[in-house]
Amino acid sequence: MKKNQLFILVAVSVVLLMGCRTPEISQGINATYAVSAQYGSLNGGWERASREAIKKANSFCEKKDRKFVFVSEQRDGIVGRSSLASIISFRCEDTDTLVASNVPRETINTKDNNKFPSEALNNERYQLDVNKINPSKKDRDSVAIIIGIQNYKRLGKADFANKDAQTFYEYAYRALGIPKDRIKILTDADADQAAFLKSFRNWLPLYVNKNKTEVFVFYSRHGLPSPDGKSLYFLPFGVDQDLLDETAVDQKKIVAAIQATQPKSVTMFIDSCYSGLSKTGDILLSGAKPVTLKNSDVDYPTEFTVLTTSSSDQISSASTELQHGIFSFYLMKGMEGDADFDKDKKITVGGMQRFLLDNVQRQAMSLNRKQIPQVVGDTNRVLVGR
């Protein structure tokens, strides 16, 4: 081994075992700066690195007699296998022009070891507000089934899935204009296999007028690809991974049940992925909600438009910062008007796709993951507004 290689190996080992190294602050674009901090997994990891990076950024801005303004954070490294790095992007702004994205000073407190700085962001981008939406006309001939399962009987949690579903209920009413008595919501034990199937086979037909009704489906929970990779198993509350054929619900059955009602259109929002299950049935990646189907291999009926959280080989993540699945959060954020790029008070599938591609990918990067939302169907279909 060459001397320089040995030196690098020793240096990396010291960082992993002893603590932090912080490169100098660098100039970015659009008046932004970047600074990073890195710690070993045994010395506080990402949380400690994040605090240290923000502390350095804050000090840098104070020397300029300006205020630290958080822009974004990216993380790198593998827990237990490498040092963990936090890269903070920020601006230094005059107090008089301080924007809402600023991290409160009280979060930059190295004595507070229990609070992760980014969780305290006072940033509109990280908050949902359904009251921003002017309620759509409620004469829209539409119906929705909303499903979210967080606490499974036999599988690990799907973080924030219940909250995704319960919050989307309000967005379905205010943004999509669906009357509340035409919205069915199932969470946890109420979403067992029987209730799941009956919702589509027995309840839905009562509210669909042939060739007139718009059907919406929102799904946030675990999923598994079918053996042939051309469909997706929705996993009800009591699913048993050893008896998938008997206890899971094949997406094809749901599509067939919806199509049998002969609706005008169908829009499905699927916040579900497959991260992998161990032989003991545990979720391998904590905080990741298991996989979407292979969109390119699925032959949906022409009246279906499907927006899914990620491609088939990617993790669909939940965020403790957002307190939602990333896809679900930005889907609803887009409905507030953020996806109305033309400012014509209409949000199309294409507009939502553009908004999701930008924001979901960006947020996933902060978790050191890649997540690219997928869309199948008519991108010109109007989701919000008419």
Side-chain angles (χ1 to χ4, degrees):
M1 181 179 292
K2 296 181 180 180
K3 290 183 178 180
N4 61 336
Q5 291 176 322
L6 179 61
F7 174 80
I8 292 173
L9 178 61
V10 171
V12 170
S13 298
V14 170
V15 168
L16 287 171
L17 295 174
M18 300 301 295
C20 174
R21 106 182 133 75
T22 54
E24 296 299 321
I25 291 172
S26 60
Q27 178 80 50
I29 61 174
N30 297 326
T32 63
Y33 299 90
V35 63
S36 69
Q38 186 168 303
Y39 275 87
S41 294
L42 302 180
N43 290 278
W46 279 313
E47 295 183 6
R48 191 173 178 185
S50 180
R51 292 192 187 94
E52 182 66 21
I54 288 180
K55 180 180 177 182
K56 287 175 67 69
N58 187 61
S59 176
F60 176 81
C61 290
E62 285 184 340
K63 289 178 181 180
K64 292 177 173 288
D65 293 323
R66 294 191 172 188
K67 186 85 170 183
F68 161 68
V69 176
F70 177 91
V71 175
S72 66
E73 179 186 30
Q74 295 186 34
R75 294 177 174 184
D76 195 13
I78 302 174
V79 176
R81 296 183 62 183
S82 69
S83 55
L84 306 177
S86 169
I87 305 168
I88 298 295
S89 176
F90 66 98
R91 296 192 304 273
C92 296
E93 294 196 3
D94 294 330
T95 304
D96 293 340
T97 61
L98 192 62
V99 297
S101 59
N102 188 37
V103 175
R105 279 187 183 272
E106 59 267 23
T107 67
I108 308 170
N109 182 356
T110 55
K111 294 181 180 180
D112 183 2
N113 294 320
N114 296 318
K115 180 177 288 188
F116 180 55
S118 61
E119 289 180 354
L121 295 178
N122 180 24
N123 189 337
E124 185 176 325
R125 178 171 173 248
Y126 293 89
Q127 299 172 3
L128 292 176
D129 185 359
V130 72
N131 293 318
K132 286 184 176 181
I133 303 172
N134 292 323
S136 297
K137 294 180 180 179
K138 299 303 181 293
D139 59 349
R140 187 174 189 173
D141 190 346
S142 55
V143 61
I145 294 177
I146 300 172
I147 300 170
I149 302 178
Q150 179 170 319
N151 304 296
Y152 278 83
K153 185 176 182 179
R154 298 182 178 90
L155 297 182
K157 282 188 175 182
D159 292 342
F160 308 116
N162 283 354
K163 188 175 181 182
D164 289 345
Q166 291 160 355
T167 307
F168 188 79
Y169 175 89
E170 293 299 329
Y171 282 77
Y173 170 69
R174 293 183 67 93
L176 300 179
I178 306 173
K180 289 189 175 182
D181 60 357
R182 295 167 67 90
I183 302 175
K184 188 174 187 65
I185 182 169
L186 301 173
T187 59
D188 279 358
D190 290 335
D192 61 15
Q193 187 188 48
F196 193 110
L197 291 171
K198 286 181 178 179
S199 295
F200 291 93
R201 293 177 177 174
N202 299 346
W203 182 84
L204 184 64
L206 298 175
Y207 297 94
V208 176
N209 297 308
K210 182 178 178 181
N211 299 323
K212 294 182 179 180
T213 303
E214 297 173 89
V215 174
F216 292 87
V217 177
F218 175 87
Y219 172 91
S220 178
R221 61 199 292 189
H222 289 326
L224 281 172
S226 61
D228 61 7
K230 293 185 178 181
S231 188
L232 174 71
Y233 282 130
F234 292 142
L235 303 187
F237 169 76
V239 69
D240 189 317
Q241 65 171 356
D242 295 323
L243 299 170
L244 284 177
D245 287 340
E246 291 80 11
T247 60
V249 177
D250 192 321
Q251 187 195 69
K252 291 180 180 178
K253 294 182 179 180
I254 300 305
V255 170
I258 298 173
Q259 193 176 26
T261 66
Q262 301 183 57
K264 176 183 178 181
S265 66
V266 181
T267 306
M268 299 179 71
F269 308 106
I270 303 177
D271 193 349
S272 172
C273 79
Y274 176 62
S275 62
L277 298 174
S278 70
K279 291 182 179 180
T280 62
D282 296 326
I283 302 299
L284 294 178
L285 290 178
S286 177
K289 294 186 298 183
V291 146
T292 63
L293 52 165
K294 296 181 180 179
N295 292 320
S296 59
D297 293 338
V298 176
D299 184 19
Y300 286 105
T302 57
E303 69 271 22
F304 277 64
T305 298
V306 183
L307 293 84
T308 64
T309 181
S310 63
S311 62
S312 58
D313 59 348
Q314 296 169 350
I315 297 168
S316 175
S317 302
S319 169
T320 55
E321 185 173 57
L322 302 178
Q323 295 290 297
H324 283 282
I326 293 175
F327 174 85
S328 292
F329 178 91
Y330 283 109
L331 173 67
M332 291 182 279
K333 192 66 177 172
M335 287 181 174
E336 291 178 7
D338 290 35
D340 180 11
F341 295 100
D342 297 331
K343 302 302 178 184
D344 60 357
K345 298 184 179 181
K346 292 182 181 180
I347 299 173
T348 64
V349 172
M352 183 63 74
Q353 178 185 27
R354 174 183 167 187
F355 180 74
L356 291 172
L357 283 172
D358 181 27
N359 289 281
V360 171
Q361 288 188 85
R362 190 191 308 272
Q363 190 70 28
M365 285 176 62
S366 72
L367 300 175
N368 198 31
R369 295 172 183 167
K370 186 176 182 180
Q371 183 176 336
I372 304 176
Q374 307 290 304
V375 174
V376 176
D378 183 6
T379 56
N380 293 318
R381 177 175 297 168
V382 175
L383 288 176
V384 178
R386 282 182 290 170

